Amino acid sequence: MPLTVEQAIAFATTCRDARPMFLEEPVWPPEDFAALAEVRSKGGLGIAAGENACTEYQFRQMMAAGAVSHAQPSVIKVGGITEFLKIAALADRLGVKIVPHSPYFGPGLLATLHLLATRDDGLVELFYLKREACLWGGRADSDATGHVAVPSGVGLGYEPDREVMERYRVT
């Protein structure tokens, strides 16, 4: 988000030969859908945005403006699974790919994995770091090939590790 429209177009032109899948929210503010559409059109690369958008309405504005090739709804920020599904259906109707924003380690990640399992385009943005502890015992981490197993238990798939919860409980 640090770039002006002109800078983002120049950057897109410069890196076009590397064939990136998209530029992610290259201009500030990310809600300037006209600016994103201009960068997408003149820069010749896909644009991903939406990690801070909160409703289907905002995604509809974004997509109608031609601002994105890849929408990045966050199941936590859009208000849950039902709103995420509305956004995904809208994207499907308009030919926009879904690449969910999911820098979570808790239920938001598990919900995102289940939502992606219902789709053909299964890319997800994950926040990677070495954690001291994990509620899911590392079972929702990506493997060496970048794949993440979809939890198959009841609810969201995994019961949280109670020992981890106790160890990090704040009273």
Side-chain angles (χ1 to χ4, degrees):
M1 291 184 235
L3 306 175
T4 66
V5 170
E6 295 76 19
Q7 291 169 330
I9 292 168
F11 179 72
T13 302
T14 300
C15 67
R16 196 178 306 149
D17 288 343
R19 301 174 68 178
M21 185 179 298
F22 52 73
L23 297 181
E24 183 177 5
E25 296 188 339
V27 298
W28 181 261
E31 299 81 18
D32 187 342
F33 303 142
L36 287 172
E38 184 176 355
V39 172
R40 182 177 177 208
S41 172
K42 293 180 181 175
L45 293 177
I47 298 292
E51 66 184 55
N52 292 303
C54 296
T55 62
E56 177 198 11
Y57 178 78
Q58 197 169 24
F59 277 93
R60 189 177 322 115
Q61 290 178 313
M62 181 188 312
M63 292 178 204
V68 293
S69 55
H70 296 73
Q72 296 181 290
S74 165
V75 70
I76 298 294
K77 292 179 183 177
V78 300
I81 291 169
T82 301
E83 193 74 2
F84 184 101
L85 291 171
K86 290 178 187 177
I87 294 163
L90 174 68
D92 291 344
R93 283 193 307 274
L94 298 177
V96 174
K97 294 184 188 296
I98 293 287
V99 181
H101 175 73
S102 185
Y104 312 113
F105 305 110
L109 172 59
L110 300 183
T112 300
L113 294 176
H114 282 284
L115 287 164
L116 280 174
T118 68
R119 303 188 53 78
D120 292 331
D121 51 351
L123 295 175
V124 62
E125 178 184 15
L126 293 174
F127 187 64
Y128 175 79
L129 63 94
K130 296 277 187 190
R131 298 179 305 276
E132 183 175 310
C134 177
L135 283 173
W136 322 116
R139 294 174 292 186
D141 292 345
S142 61
D143 64 19
T145 65
H147 292 89
V148 181
V150 177
S152 59
V154 298
L156 291 176
Y158 294 134
E159 284 293 321
D161 184 328
R162 300 228 181 256
E163 289 179 23
V164 171
M165 291 190 320
E166 283 298 319
R167 187 171 14 156
Y168 292 93
R169 184 174 64 165
V170 176
T171 57

